[in-house]
Coordinates of all heavy atoms in Angstrom, one line a residue:
Chain A
E184 N 13.8 -1.3 23.2 CA 13.4 -2.4 22.3 C 11.9 -2.2 21.9 O 11.2 -1.6 22.7 CB 13.6 -3.8 22.9 CG 15.0 -4.2 23.2 CD 15.0 -5.6 23.7 OE1 14.0 -6.1 24.3 OE2 16.1 -6.2 23.6
A185 N 11.5 -2.7 20.7 CA 10.1 -2.7 20.4 C 9.9 -3.8 19.4 O 10.8 -4.0 18.5 CB 9.7 -1.4 19.8
T186 N 8.9 -4.6 19.5 CA 8.6 -5.7 18.6 C 7.4 -5.5 17.8 O 6.3 -5.1 18.4 CB 8.5 -7.0 19.5 OG1 9.7 -7.3 20.2 CG2 8.2 -8.2 18.5
Y187 N 7.4 -5.7 16.6 CA 6.3 -5.5 15.6 C 5.4 -6.7 15.8 O 5.6 -7.8 15.4 CB 6.9 -5.5 14.2 CG 6.0 -5.1 13.1 CD1 6.6 -4.4 12.0 CD2 4.7 -5.5 13.0 CE1 5.8 -4.1 10.9 CE2 3.9 -5.2 11.9 CZ 4.5 -4.5 10.8 OH 3.7 -4.1 9.7
R188 N 4.2 -6.4 16.4 CA 3.2 -7.4 16.6 C 2.0 -7.2 15.7 O 1.2 -6.3 15.9 CB 2.7 -7.4 18.1 CG 3.8 -7.6 19.1 CD 4.3 -9.0 19.2 NE 5.2 -9.2 20.3 CZ 6.0 -10.3 20.4 NH1 6.0 -11.2 19.4 NH2 6.8 -10.4 21.4
K189 N 2.0 -8.0 14.6 CA 0.9 -7.8 13.7 C -0.4 -8.2 14.2 O -1.5 -7.6 13.9 CB 1.2 -8.6 12.4 CG 0.3 -8.3 11.2 CD 0.8 -9.0 10.0 CE -0.1 -8.7 8.8 NZ -1.5 -9.2 8.9
E190 N -0.5 -9.3 15.0 CA -1.7 -9.8 15.5 C -2.4 -8.8 16.5 O -3.7 -8.8 16.6 CB -1.5 -11.1 16.3 CG -0.7 -11.1 17.5 CD 0.8 -11.1 17.2 OE1 1.2 -11.0 16.0 OE2 1.6 -11.3 18.2
T191 N -1.6 -8.0 17.2 CA -2.2 -7.0 18.1 C -2.0 -5.5 17.5 O -2.4 -4.6 18.2 CB -1.6 -7.0 19.5 OG1 -0.2 -6.9 19.3 CG2 -2.0 -8.4 20.1
T192 N -1.5 -5.4 16.3 CA -1.2 -4.1 15.7 C -0.5 -3.2 16.7 O -1.0 -2.1 16.9 CB -2.4 -3.5 15.0 OG1 -3.4 -3.2 16.0 CG2 -3.0 -4.4 14.0
S193 N 0.6 -3.7 17.3 CA 1.2 -2.9 18.3 C 2.7 -2.9 18.1 O 3.3 -3.7 17.4 CB 0.9 -3.5 19.7 OG 1.5 -4.8 19.8
F194 N 3.3 -1.9 18.7 CA 4.8 -1.7 18.6 C 5.2 -0.9 19.9 O 5.7 0.2 19.8 CB 5.1 -0.9 17.3 CG 6.6 -0.9 16.9 CD1 7.3 -2.0 16.8 CD2 7.2 0.3 16.7 CE1 8.6 -2.0 16.4 CE2 8.6 0.4 16.3 CZ 9.3 -0.8 16.1
H195 N 5.1 -1.6 21.0 CA 5.3 -1.0 22.3 C 6.8 -0.8 22.5 O 7.6 -1.7 22.3 CB 4.7 -1.8 23.4 CG 3.3 -2.1 23.3 ND1 2.4 -1.2 22.8 CD2 2.6 -3.2 23.5 CE1 1.2 -1.7 22.8 NE2 1.2 -2.9 23.2
L196 N 7.2 0.4 23.1 CA 8.6 0.7 23.4 C 8.9 0.3 24.8 O 8.1 0.6 25.7 CB 8.8 2.2 23.2 CG 10.3 2.6 23.4 CD1 11.2 2.1 22.3 CD2 10.3 4.2 23.4
E197 N 10.0 -0.4 25.0 CA 10.4 -0.8 26.4 C 11.9 -0.6 26.6 O 12.7 -0.6 25.7 CB 10.1 -2.3 26.5 CG 8.7 -2.7 26.4 CD 8.5 -4.2 26.7 OE1 9.4 -5.0 26.4 OE2 7.4 -4.6 27.1
K198 N 12.2 -0.3 27.9 CA 13.6 -0.2 28.3 C 13.6 -0.7 29.7 O 12.8 -0.4 30.6 CB 14.1 1.2 28.2 CG 15.6 1.3 28.5 CD 16.2 2.6 28.3 CE 17.7 2.6 28.5 NZ 18.4 3.9 28.4
G199 N 14.6 -1.6 30.0 CA 14.7 -2.2 31.3 C 15.1 -1.3 32.5 O 14.6 -1.4 33.6
S200 N 15.9 -0.3 32.2 CA 16.4 0.6 33.3 C 16.6 2.0 32.7 O 17.6 2.2 32.0 CB 17.7 0.0 33.9 OG 18.2 0.9 34.9
V201 N 15.7 2.9 33.0 CA 15.9 4.2 32.3 C 16.8 5.1 33.1 O 17.1 4.9 34.3 CB 14.5 4.9 32.2 CG1 13.6 4.2 31.2 CG2 13.8 5.0 33.6
Q202 N 17.4 6.1 32.4 CA 18.3 7.1 33.0 C 17.7 8.5 32.8 O 16.8 8.7 32.0 CB 19.6 7.0 32.3 CG 20.2 5.6 32.3 CD 20.5 5.1 33.7 OE1 21.0 5.8 34.5 NE2 20.1 3.8 33.9
V203 N 18.2 9.4 33.6 CA 17.7 10.8 33.5 C 17.9 11.3 32.1 O 17.1 12.0 31.6 CB 18.5 11.7 34.5 CG1 18.2 13.1 34.3 CG2 18.2 11.3 35.9
S204 N 19.0 10.9 31.4 CA 19.2 11.3 30.0 C 18.2 10.8 29.0 O 18.2 11.3 27.9 CB 20.6 10.9 29.6 OG 20.8 9.5 29.7
D205 N 17.4 9.9 29.4 CA 16.3 9.4 28.5 C 15.1 10.3 28.5 O 14.2 10.1 27.7 CB 15.8 8.0 28.9 CG 16.9 6.9 28.8 OD1 17.7 7.1 27.8 OD2 17.0 6.0 29.6
S206 N 15.1 11.3 29.3 CA 14.0 12.3 29.4 C 13.9 13.0 28.0 O 14.8 13.6 27.5 CB 14.2 13.3 30.4 OG 14.3 12.7 31.7
A207 N 12.7 12.8 27.4 CA 12.5 13.4 26.0 C 11.1 13.1 25.6 O 10.3 12.6 26.4 CB 13.5 12.7 25.0
V208 N 10.8 13.5 24.4 CA 9.4 13.1 23.8 C 9.6 12.0 22.8 O 10.5 12.1 22.0 CB 8.8 14.3 23.2 CG1 7.4 13.9 22.6 CG2 8.6 15.5 24.2
Y209 N 8.8 11.0 23.0 CA 9.0 9.8 22.1 C 7.7 9.7 21.2 O 6.6 9.8 21.6 CB 9.1 8.5 23.0 CG 10.4 8.5 23.7 CD1 10.5 9.2 24.9 CD2 11.5 7.7 23.2 CE1 11.7 9.2 25.6 CE2 12.7 7.7 23.9 CZ 12.8 8.4 25.1 OH 14.0 8.4 25.8
F210 N 8.0 9.5 19.9 CA 7.0 9.4 18.9 C 7.0 8.1 18.2 O 8.0 7.6 17.7 CB 7.2 10.5 17.8 CG 7.0 11.9 18.2 CD1 8.0 12.6 18.7 CD2 5.7 12.5 18.2 CE1 7.9 13.9 19.1 CE2 5.5 13.8 18.6 CZ 6.6 14.5 19.1
C211 N 5.8 7.4 18.2 CA 5.6 6.2 17.4 C 5.2 6.6 16.0 O 4.4 7.6 15.9 CB 4.6 5.3 18.1 SG 4.4 3.7 17.3
A212 N 5.6 6.0 15.0 CA 5.2 6.4 13.6 C 5.2 5.2 12.7 O 5.8 4.1 13.0 CB 6.2 7.4 13.1

Side-chain angles (χ1 to χ4, degrees):
Chain A
E184 292 183 341
T186 301
Y187 189 144
R188 300 289 187 196
K189 187 173 185 296
E190 64 276 13
T191 54
T192 62
S193 65
F194 194 54
H195 305 320
L196 182 68
E197 297 182 335
K198 186 175 185 181
S200 177
V201 293
Q202 305 301 313
V203 172
S204 57
D205 294 327
S206 298
V208 180
Y209 292 80
F210 292 91
C211 185

